[in-house]
Coordinates of all heavy atoms in Angstrom, one line a residue:
L29 N -95.7 -84.5 200.8 CA -94.9 -84.5 202.1 C -93.9 -83.4 202.1 O -93.6 -82.7 203.0 CB -94.2 -85.8 202.2 CG -94.9 -86.9 203.0 CD1 -94.1 -88.1 203.2 CD2 -95.5 -86.4 204.2
C37 N -95.4 -77.8 208.6 CA -96.4 -78.7 209.3 C -95.7 -79.9 210.1 O -96.3 -80.3 211.0 CB -97.4 -79.2 208.3 SG -97.9 -78.1 207.1
L38 N -94.6 -80.5 209.5 CA -94.1 -81.6 210.0 C -93.4 -81.5 211.4 O -93.0 -82.5 212.0 CB -93.3 -82.4 208.9 CG -93.9 -82.7 207.6 CD1 -92.9 -83.5 206.8 CD2 -95.2 -83.4 207.7
C40 N -95.0 -80.6 213.8 CA -96.0 -81.0 214.7 C -97.0 -82.2 214.2 O -97.8 -82.8 215.0 CB -97.0 -79.9 215.1 SG -96.2 -78.5 215.9
H41 N -96.8 -82.6 212.9 CA -97.7 -83.6 212.4 C -97.0 -84.7 211.7 O -95.8 -84.4 211.2 CB -98.6 -83.0 211.3 CG -99.7 -82.0 211.9 ND1 -100.8 -82.5 212.5 CD2 -99.8 -80.7 212.0 CE1 -101.6 -81.7 212.8 NE2 -101.1 -80.5 212.6
D42 N -97.6 -85.9 211.6 CA -97.1 -87.0 210.8 C -98.4 -87.6 210.2 O -99.4 -87.4 210.7 CB -96.4 -88.0 211.7 CG -95.8 -89.1 210.9 OD1 -94.7 -89.1 210.4 OD2 -96.6 -90.1 210.8
V43 N -98.1 -88.3 209.0 CA -99.4 -88.8 208.4 C -100.0 -89.9 209.2 O -101.2 -90.0 209.4 CB -99.0 -89.4 206.9 CG1 -100.2 -90.3 206.4 CG2 -98.7 -88.3 206.0
D44 N -99.2 -90.7 209.9 CA -99.6 -91.9 210.6 C -99.6 -91.8 212.1 O -100.3 -92.6 212.8 CB -98.9 -93.2 210.1 CG -99.1 -93.5 208.7 OD1 -100.2 -93.8 208.3 OD2 -98.2 -93.4 207.8
I45 N -98.8 -90.9 212.6 CA -98.5 -91.0 214.1 C -99.0 -89.6 214.6 O -98.7 -88.5 214.0 CB -97.1 -91.2 214.3 CG1 -96.6 -92.5 213.8 CG2 -96.8 -91.1 215.8 CD1 -95.1 -92.6 213.7
T46 N -99.6 -89.6 215.8 CA -100.0 -88.4 216.5 C -98.7 -87.8 217.2 O -98.0 -88.6 217.8 CB -101.0 -88.6 217.6 OG1 -102.3 -89.0 216.9 CG2 -101.3 -87.4 218.4
V47 N -98.4 -86.6 216.8 CA -97.2 -86.0 217.4 C -97.7 -85.0 218.3 O -98.4 -85.3 219.4 CB -96.3 -85.4 216.3 CG1 -94.8 -85.0 216.9 CG2 -96.0 -86.4 215.1
G49 N -99.7 -82.5 217.0 CA -101.0 -82.4 216.4 C -101.5 -83.9 216.0 O -100.7 -84.8 216.0
P50 N -102.8 -84.1 215.7 CA -103.3 -85.4 215.4 C -102.6 -85.9 214.1 O -102.3 -85.2 213.1 CB -104.8 -85.1 215.1 CG -104.8 -83.6 214.8 CD -103.8 -83.0 215.5
A51 N -102.5 -87.3 213.9 CA -102.1 -88.0 212.7 C -103.1 -87.6 211.7 O -104.3 -87.5 211.8 CB -102.1 -89.5 212.9
W52 N -102.5 -87.2 210.5 CA -103.4 -86.8 209.4 C -104.4 -87.8 208.9 O -105.5 -87.5 208.4 CB -102.5 -86.2 208.4 CG -102.1 -84.8 208.6 CD1 -102.8 -83.9 209.5 CD2 -101.0 -84.0 208.0 NE1 -102.0 -82.7 209.5 CE2 -100.9 -82.8 208.7 CE3 -100.0 -84.4 207.1 CZ2 -100.0 -81.8 208.4 CZ3 -99.0 -83.4 206.7 CH2 -99.0 -82.1 207.5
R53 N -103.9 -89.1 209.1 CA -105.0 -90.1 208.6 C -106.2 -90.1 209.6 O -107.4 -90.3 209.2 CB -104.4 -91.5 208.6 CG -103.8 -91.8 207.3 CD -103.5 -93.3 207.2 NE -102.2 -93.6 206.6 CZ -101.9 -93.5 205.3 NH1 -102.9 -93.2 204.5 NH2 -100.8 -93.7 204.9

Side-chain angles (χ1 to χ4, degrees):
L29 271 186
C37 314
L38 302 187
C40 299
H41 286 282
D42 182 90
V43 170
D44 293 295
I45 300 164
T46 295
V47 193
W52 280 338
R53 272 195 222 284

